[in-house]
């Protein structure tokens, strides 16, 4: 997996994960401001989470979608771990500064700085625990696609140089939990992520976001990404 692929995973799972609440909101008609405020409040109250993820990535240049699944862990500020089970075992680990991408079948780990692997300013802000939806995005509701069960929330970064083109959230109208996140980058590649078996604020240990390369593994440090 290349660093641009890591970028899409960081953004998709990060934004999907922080928007789960621990309680149930009062059902009823919700304005755009109410939806966004509830999601932001969920994010502020969350210290860590873990979940099972299913990811589908559609690269514009390739006709077939790439599907993968596994477990994801996040802890403020800056810690994320992806344990991939399918289609093959691999790990991506970051403490917010260094990103390690380990592929056992290749006996190789790619090491890079998070600042060079991630071209999204808003993703960096939220990973560090300092993001703000209303300040960082232009927000709108897609009323044509919304239905009785879900709101469709569209987010466009105010920073036009950001590598995220759009984020689309499917938001449950009763709980305000996000069911699905769809990210489109500036190259029109699309990454869809769904989470399940969600656990929040369980006190994840910091060592979970530390990576020690196995003995004998090849460590690759790629050149700076344009």
């Amino acid at each position: 997996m290349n660093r641009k692929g890591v970028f899409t995973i960081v953004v998709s799972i990060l934004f999907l994960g922080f928007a789960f609440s621990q309680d149930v909101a009062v059902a009823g008609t919700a304005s755009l401001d109410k939806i966004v405020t509830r999601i932001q409040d969920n994010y502020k109250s969350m210290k860590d989470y873990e979940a099972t993820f299913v990811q589908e990535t559609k690269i514009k240049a390739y006709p077939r979608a790439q599907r993968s699944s596994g477990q994801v862990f996040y802890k403020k500020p800056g810690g994320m771990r992806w344990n991939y089970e399918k289609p093959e075992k691999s790990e991506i680990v970051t403490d917010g500064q260094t990103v390690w991408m380990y592929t056992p079948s290749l006996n190789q780990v790619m090491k890079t700085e998070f600042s060079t692997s991630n071209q999204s300013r808003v993703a960096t802000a939220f990973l560090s625990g300092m993001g703000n939806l209303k300040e960082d995005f232009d927000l709108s509701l897609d009323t044509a696609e919304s239905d009785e069960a879900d709101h469709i929330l569209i987010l466009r970064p105010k920073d036009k140089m950001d590598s995220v083109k759009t984020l689309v959230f499917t938001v449950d109208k009763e709980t305000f939990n996000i069911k699905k996140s769809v990210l489109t980058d500036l190259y029109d590649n699309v990454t869809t992520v769904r989470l399940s078996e969600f656990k929040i604020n369980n006190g994840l240990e910091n060592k979970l976001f530390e990576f020690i390369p196995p003995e004998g593994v090849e460590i690759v440090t790629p050149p700076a990404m344009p």
Side-chain angles (χ1 to χ4, degrees), residues 54-221:
V54 177
Q55 172 192 330
E56 179 179 278
T57 302
K58 295 180 179 178
I59 306 298
K60 189 175 182 180
Y62 297 93
R64 181 176 297 180
Q66 302 173 6
R67 294 179 176 85
S68 54
S69 61
Q71 288 184 295
V72 59
F73 305 85
Y74 167 66
K75 182 176 183 178
K76 289 179 180 176
M80 290 196 84
R81 168 182 281 271
W82 301 264
N83 290 340
Y84 281 82
E85 298 295 332
K86 296 178 181 180
E88 67 172 332
K89 288 186 178 296
S90 61
E91 298 175 22
I92 302 174
V93 184
T94 181
D95 57 5
Q97 298 181 3
T98 303
V99 180
W100 300 88
M101 293 166 277
Y102 175 46
T103 308
S105 63
L106 299 177
N107 195 35
Q108 183 183 89
V109 60
M110 183 181 296
K111 176 185 178 182
T112 186
E113 296 305 308
F114 184 81
S115 59
T116 61
S117 67
N118 177 28
Q119 294 180 308
S120 171
R121 183 186 66 81
V122 293
T124 301
F126 277 93
L127 188 63
S128 67
M130 300 172 60
N132 187 299
L133 290 177
K134 295 178 182 179
E135 292 181 0
D136 294 325
F137 293 94
D138 291 320
L139 304 157
S140 61
L141 286 175
D142 187 341
T143 56
E145 292 297 325
S146 298
D147 55 28
E148 293 184 359
D150 303 316
H151 296 292
I152 305 299
L153 178 63
I154 302 173
L155 304 87
R156 295 182 174 88
K158 292 182 178 180
D159 181 357
K160 301 308 178 184
M161 299 301 292
D162 199 279
S163 291
V164 175
K165 186 175 182 179
T166 61
L167 273 167
V168 179
F169 289 162
T170 300
V171 184
D172 186 286
K173 286 186 175 181
E174 291 195 13
T175 65
F176 292 97
N177 287 347
I178 294 181
K179 298 178 178 180
K180 181 174 70 173
S181 169
V182 181
L183 179 148
T184 302
D185 68 17
L186 291 180
Y187 304 98
D188 289 327
N189 303 315
V190 180
T191 300
T192 302
V193 174
R194 296 176 175 85
L195 298 183
S196 61
E197 301 177 31
F198 200 88
K199 300 176 183 178
I200 188 170
N201 291 342
N202 276 355
L204 297 179
E205 296 185 6
N206 291 333
K207 65 181 181 181
L208 185 64
F209 309 100
E210 300 172 357
F211 183 83
I212 300 176
E215 186 175 352
V217 72
E218 178 186 12
I219 299 176
V220 177
T221 304

Side-chain angles (χ1 to χ4, degrees), residues 7-44:
F7 153 72
T8 60
I9 298 166
V10 168
V11 180
S12 299
I13 295 181
L14 175 63
F15 284 109
L16 180 58
F18 76 70
F20 277 73
S21 63
Q22 298 185 82
D23 55 3
V24 177
V26 176
T29 302
S31 65
L32 173 61
D33 184 71
K34 180 179 179 180
I35 295 168
V36 175
T37 297
R38 178 56 188 269
I39 293 173
Q40 188 74 43
D41 288 346
N42 292 345
Y43 169 70
K44 289 180 180 178

